[in-house]
Amino acid sequence: MWCSVLPLLFSLSPAVLILLQLPDYADTQEDYKYGRPGSEKKFCTWKCLLFTVQWPAGFCQFLDRESLCQIPQSINNWTIHGLWPLHVMDCCNCWPMFQSDVEELEAELTEHWPSLLKIKSSFHFWREEWHKHGVCAACVEGMNSPLRYFQICLKLQQHFDIHKLLGEAGITPSCDRLYKVSEVHQVLAPHLGDKHEIQCVTDDKDREVWFQVKIPLSRNLTIGCDHHGDHTTADIDLASGSGPGRTSSAGHPCPAQKPFYYLPIDHEHPRQPCG
């Protein structure tokens, strides 16, 4: 069983991390149980995924209305945005997800993958991510159900403890201190690979604000995958699902020559953490 290898995840060197040893992909198609005959071939052509985490204080700068953003009191860490197969523009609507599918993970998902929009529940967010991206990932045996897909995401979040890595290097949220892409990349590269992307959003004061981190993974979840700068529709998703409230500035790679802010979390005033 796939879960039998999970205790081995953290004994592996980050540089050569392989989270799962998956069987030949051609042999996994039968597990794509809700797919229409032949449809899985369209969805299973992808080779790379992006595991994306977001910083809640940066996400709030992504919205054009202060009243839309919420950061639950229990959230003081980076949260999951999603796990997205690349080069797949549309998954089928053939695999529904129900709350009972992830009931045993609900407490963990609420902690590590919350909705940051007042107008959208966390389950709505999870279900959208499954329908948009999880269904496409499900042709790989280790992710071939909502439960398995979300378990993998939680394991990835646990392994890539960005908050801890940054804190140990003295990179902490601040209203005053500015950071450069080069210094953050130097800290994260040994753990996330050289191809990770540090993304910013431009706030209403025309400042660059750290928003999220994209970690490229190969199909077997090995760190690093050459996606040639191509994007998926997920690149422009709202971090808590599509909907109203987007600012005119979408997430983009933080400029190499322009320092950015890593804003602190303020639960009471999430969009104005520095007053």
Side-chain angles (χ1 to χ4, degrees):
M1 295 292 291
W2 73 278
C3 56
S4 65
V5 305
L6 292 179
L8 302 177
L9 296 182
F10 308 111
S11 65
L12 299 173
S13 168
V16 294
L17 174 68
I18 299 180
L19 297 179
L20 293 174
Q21 294 292 339
L22 300 175
D24 183 77
Y25 306 128
D27 295 332
T28 68
Q29 304 306 323
E30 62 183 7
D31 292 316
Y32 201 83
K33 60 181 179 179
Y34 289 106
R36 296 183 296 274
S39 64
E40 67 275 5
K41 294 180 181 178
K42 174 184 176 182
F43 304 135
C44 293
T45 57
W46 55 269
K47 302 297 182 185
C48 303
L49 306 99
L50 287 177
F51 180 63
T52 304
V53 294
Q54 60 188 359
W55 180 241
F59 167 75
C60 290
Q61 307 305 313
F62 191 76
L63 303 176
D64 63 3
R65 296 209 307 273
E66 184 172 351
S67 60
L68 284 175
C69 196
Q70 64 174 2
I71 304 177
Q73 291 290 332
S74 60
I75 303 302
N76 292 286
N77 206 333
W78 289 77
T79 61
I80 300 170
H81 185 165
L83 180 63
W84 312 324
L86 292 169
H87 303 299
V88 181
M89 300 306 294
D90 187 25
C91 296
C92 72
N93 295 320
C94 50
W95 196 328
M97 173 179 159
F98 305 98
Q99 197 144 8
S100 58
D101 291 329
V102 294
E103 186 174 8
E104 67 183 80
L105 299 177
E106 190 166 354
E108 286 182 88
L109 289 172
T110 299
E111 178 183 356
H112 299 291
W113 200 334
S115 170
L116 302 175
L117 284 176
K118 291 181 180 179
I119 59 176
K120 188 159 294 184
S121 71
S122 289
F123 175 72
H124 193 164
F125 181 20
W126 307 332
R127 186 174 61 186
E128 282 189 344
E129 288 295 307
W130 168 254
H131 288 163
K132 291 178 183 177
H133 314 296
V135 171
C136 289
C139 59
V140 173
E141 186 178 16
M143 295 182 277
N144 65 349
S145 72
L147 178 62
R148 288 184 173 188
Y149 174 76
F150 287 104
Q151 283 176 324
I152 288 296
C153 292
L154 289 168
K155 288 292 182 181
L156 289 170
Q157 171 75 344
Q158 183 179 0
H159 184 81
F160 299 124
D161 192 343
I162 292 177
H163 195 71
K164 180 181 178 181
L165 294 173
L166 295 171
E168 290 175 346
I171 298 176
T172 57
S174 172
C175 290
D176 304 310
R177 183 176 174 184
L178 288 164
Y179 295 97
K180 295 180 179 179
V181 170
S182 58
E183 63 181 310
V184 175
H185 179 83
Q186 185 176 9
V187 171
L188 297 181
H191 307 276
L192 311 186
D194 287 334
K195 298 176 183 176
H196 73 271
E197 184 174 294
I198 299 166
Q199 285 206 317
C200 285
V201 63
T202 306
D203 71 2
D204 54 11
K205 298 179 181 178
D206 202 34
R207 302 178 303 182
E208 294 294 332
V209 175
W210 198 0
F211 168 40
Q212 62 184 13
V213 176
K214 292 182 177 180
I215 306 166
L217 303 171
S218 62
R219 186 164 170 144
N220 66 356
L221 302 184
T222 306
I223 290 176
C225 191
D226 189 1
H227 56 92
H228 301 294
D230 292 326
H231 68 275
T232 171
T233 50
D235 289 347
I236 56 173
D237 282 349
L238 258 178
S240 291
S242 58
R246 288 190 56 180
T247 142
S248 57
S249 172
H252 54 265
C254 296
Q257 304 304 321
K258 185 176 181 179
F260 57 81
Y261 285 92
Y262 179 23
L263 295 178
I265 289 175
D266 187 324
H267 300 97
E268 299 301 323
H269 307 284
R271 197 157 182 269
Q272 301 294 334
C274 301

